[in-house]
Amino acid sequence: DVVAMLNRYYRIAEEVLSNHAAVKLNFTADEVMAPFDTARDAANAAIALRPAIDDLLSHSGLSAGIGLHTGPVIQGLIGSASVKSYNVIGDVVNTAKRIESATPGGAILVSADTRRELHTDFNFGQEQRIAAKGKEAGVAVYALIGPAAAGPGESQRG
């Protein structure tokens, strides 16, 4: 039953994230990691993924949070002589993981760096601070609420 649920979860994540320009997908245990070229692509993917996984997981009394962080990563083949995989690593990946781990089920939290990149195109909640391993002062995060509503006569951004 657990494997069947994970496979459904991964199928949904793969479909949604691939449709939103994910550079790569990485499935580990019950987590999905997907780097994107832009914070906007990542935010739009998270917003699209949220209801799809909520619907799947809620039937089993489960939930998942989504964490986003922005910055440079190291990418390439990583591993030993006989076992290698294409992956991304670095402080940005670690920080995104810390944010995801602190995100309540059903929510999307973004770092201050990601919020700056998305500026006025999206709506955010108030600043929160989360404890994060390796970050003495913690990490400032914001709930990603959704695309900013377009004003009269304007096209919607996001």
Side-chain angles (χ1 to χ4, degrees):
D1 288 343
V2 171
V3 171
M5 168 64 85
L6 280 173
N7 285 335
R8 288 191 302 273
Y9 177 68
Y10 291 154
R11 274 193 301 276
I12 290 169
E14 180 179 19
E15 180 180 333
V16 172
L17 298 175
S18 295
N19 286 334
H20 285 85
V23 173
K24 177 197 182 319
L25 296 175
N26 189 29
F27 302 142
T28 305
D30 62 352
E31 297 178 348
V32 176
M33 191 230 354
F36 292 84
D37 285 332
T38 69
R40 178 187 304 268
D41 287 342
N44 285 326
I47 290 166
L49 184 59
R50 171 84 286 129
I53 61 173
D54 283 351
D55 183 52
L56 170 70
L57 297 176
S58 66
H59 295 294
S60 299
L62 302 171
S63 63
I66 298 173
L68 304 178
H69 185 44
T70 300
V73 297
I74 299 165
Q75 61 182 343
L77 285 175
I78 299 171
S80 66
S82 61
V83 179
K84 289 186 183 188
S85 65
Y86 182 84
N87 215 331
V88 294
I89 60 170
D91 185 62
V92 169
V93 175
N94 294 339
T95 302
K97 168 64 178 137
R98 305 293 187 263
I99 294 169
E100 178 273 327
S101 293
T103 304
I108 303 168
L109 292 181
V110 304
S111 68
D113 291 338
T114 301
R115 185 178 188 272
R116 265 191 301 281
E117 287 287 322
L118 299 174
H119 51 279
T120 60
D121 293 340
F122 292 83
N123 292 319
F124 302 91
Q126 295 297 312
E127 179 180 318
Q128 307 166 49
R129 288 210 81 78
I130 61 166
K133 179 180 171 186
K135 307 287 182 183
E136 189 173 310
V139 176
V141 295
Y142 304 82
L144 176 61
I145 297 172
E154 297 179 28
S155 62
Q156 184 169 337
R157 292 174 281 176

